[in-house]
Amino acid sequence: MSVPPFDQRDGFIWYNGALVPWRDAKLHVLSHGLHYGSCVFEGERAYGGKIFKSTEHSERFKRSAEILDFEIPYSVEELDAAKDETLKANNLLNSYVRPVAWRGSEMMAVAAQHSTIHVAIAVWDWPSMFDIATKMKGIKLDIAEYRRPDPQTAPSMAKAAGLYMICTISKHRAERRGYADALMLDWQGRVAECTGANVFFVKDGALHTPIADCFLDGITRRTVIDLAKQRGVEVIERRIMPEEMASFEECFICGTGAEVTPVAEVGPYTFVPGALSRALVEDYDKAVNA
């Protein structure tokens, strides 16, 4: 199915405090955010016209900017209101929501203390990708060549655009090899995350997931942990070595786009999507549609 380019769509984008026609929401080619990666963003989703955990996303959006040494010139409340305004202007109920902030064009060098901070919010139609029967077949993951960096070498707690460069490379390689995505290891060779989603494993009725200290502790990740605990499921956040995947019974990934998606293969390791994965798929669907 043909997908229209994202710069050639109808509708409205919230841009620096006002709604503008979609095709007019542009930036200059000499924007600092494009050249030096001084850009942060959020990935959110609306269900039935309500953005799931909108305020938590706005708070992280502002924290990410602070980590990159700039300030988003809108409060959390203003950002929440702007997202709602953009949804309504585009007459969307079930959609993806993308706030983004970047340094502008006043300075074109590594240092850019006096650049204007621009903020935009776009929304587009994005229903759930799979029904539960399709999800329960499980997707296949490759193992990425690139690793998540040592947190002393990159601002891993920020949702910063530059940190996704190796994710794009890794996902492209995985797709060329017939996989849906790639599992990334951390700088010490331990299981970390996928290119845009966190990962969980099931063993003896408990959930195991990597410690989020060199990659983003996703809002969906925290939601899944809470849902599991509400079921009385033990959640163990720990270091996981790749060879341990041979001992796990189930695996799933989670994120704004992926929601909760079971996994059937990670490289040479196989899993059988089962009862706990299905329960959390259903619990998450209820939570976002509450």
Side-chain angles (χ1 to χ4, degrees):
M1 182 176 65
S2 177
V3 177
F6 275 89
D7 62 342
Q8 297 296 318
R9 299 189 177 203
D10 297 318
F12 298 92
I13 289 176
W14 190 91
Y15 198 129
N16 290 337
L19 289 168
V20 302
W22 188 290
R23 296 164 196 255
D24 295 341
K26 300 177 181 180
L27 64 156
H28 196 273
V29 69
L30 293 180
S31 293
H32 194 273
L34 174 63
H35 290 254
Y36 294 97
S38 53
C39 172
V40 297
F41 68 99
E42 279 296 315
E44 309 178 39
R45 206 158 175 166
Y47 297 83
K50 181 180 179 182
I51 300 170
F52 184 61
K53 297 198 171 180
S54 179
T55 297
E56 288 184 41
H57 281 284
S58 295
E59 290 169 346
R60 186 174 67 182
F61 189 42
K62 288 182 68 70
R63 284 197 305 272
S64 292
E66 290 166 2
I67 292 170
L68 266 63
D69 197 35
F70 67 84
E71 182 178 355
I72 290 174
Y74 301 97
S75 68
V76 167
E77 294 75 18
E78 288 171 325
L79 291 167
D80 285 352
K83 286 183 283 185
D84 288 338
E85 181 184 6
T86 310
L87 267 180
K88 291 175 183 175
N90 288 282
N91 196 30
L92 290 173
L93 295 177
N94 300 309
S95 68
Y96 190 80
V97 181
R98 170 54 59 88
V100 59
W102 67 97
R103 287 189 175 97
S105 303
E106 289 80 5
M107 300 179 71
M108 188 43 56
V110 172
Q113 297 95 328
H114 305 298
S115 293
T116 298
I117 305 304
H118 298 276
V119 182
I121 300 168
V123 300
W124 56 89
D125 187 48
W126 193 353
S128 293
M129 292 181 285
F130 307 113
D131 59 31
I132 190 165
T134 303
K135 277 191 174 185
M136 290 308 298
K137 294 177 181 178
I139 62 171
K140 298 179 181 181
L141 306 179
D142 196 8
I143 297 179
E145 291 183 327
Y146 280 101
R147 297 182 175 187
R148 300 313 303 167
D150 183 332
Q152 295 184 74
T153 68
S156 56
M157 295 301 103
K159 196 168 178 68
L163 294 175
Y164 286 80
M165 176 183 67
I166 57 174
C167 299
T168 298
I169 295 169
S170 299
K171 190 169 177 67
H172 284 184
R173 175 178 177 268
E175 290 179 343
R176 283 194 296 268
R177 290 157 60 96
Y179 295 92
D181 201 349
L183 179 72
M184 305 184 79
L185 307 180
D186 71 10
W187 84 103
Q188 291 187 321
R190 305 169 301 202
V191 173
E193 62 170 348
C194 289
T195 62
N198 294 122
V199 64
F200 287 82
F201 301 95
V202 178
K203 184 176 182 179
D204 297 330
L207 276 185
H208 298 251
T209 192
I211 297 169
D213 61 353
C214 67
F215 57 88
L216 205 64
D217 182 6
I219 290 171
T220 307
R221 177 181 183 272
R222 302 309 313 176
T223 301
V224 167
I225 289 173
D226 290 342
L227 291 171
K229 289 180 176 178
Q230 288 171 24
R231 281 186 166 268
V233 175
E234 182 182 11
V235 180
I236 304 166
E237 299 181 67
R238 66 177 181 86
R239 307 299 183 191
I240 299 174
M241 299 305 296
E243 57 269 21
E244 289 186 70
M245 287 191 282
S247 69
F248 293 126
E249 300 146 13
E250 301 178 45
C251 174
F252 62 83
I253 62 173
C254 69
T256 295
E259 299 178 301
V260 177
T261 299
V263 173
E265 294 181 18
V266 179
Y269 305 103
T270 59
F271 310 91
V272 179
L276 185 50
S277 294
R278 185 183 185 96
L280 289 169
V281 169
E282 294 174 344
D283 287 352
Y284 185 76
D285 183 65
K286 291 175 184 176
V288 298
N289 288 290

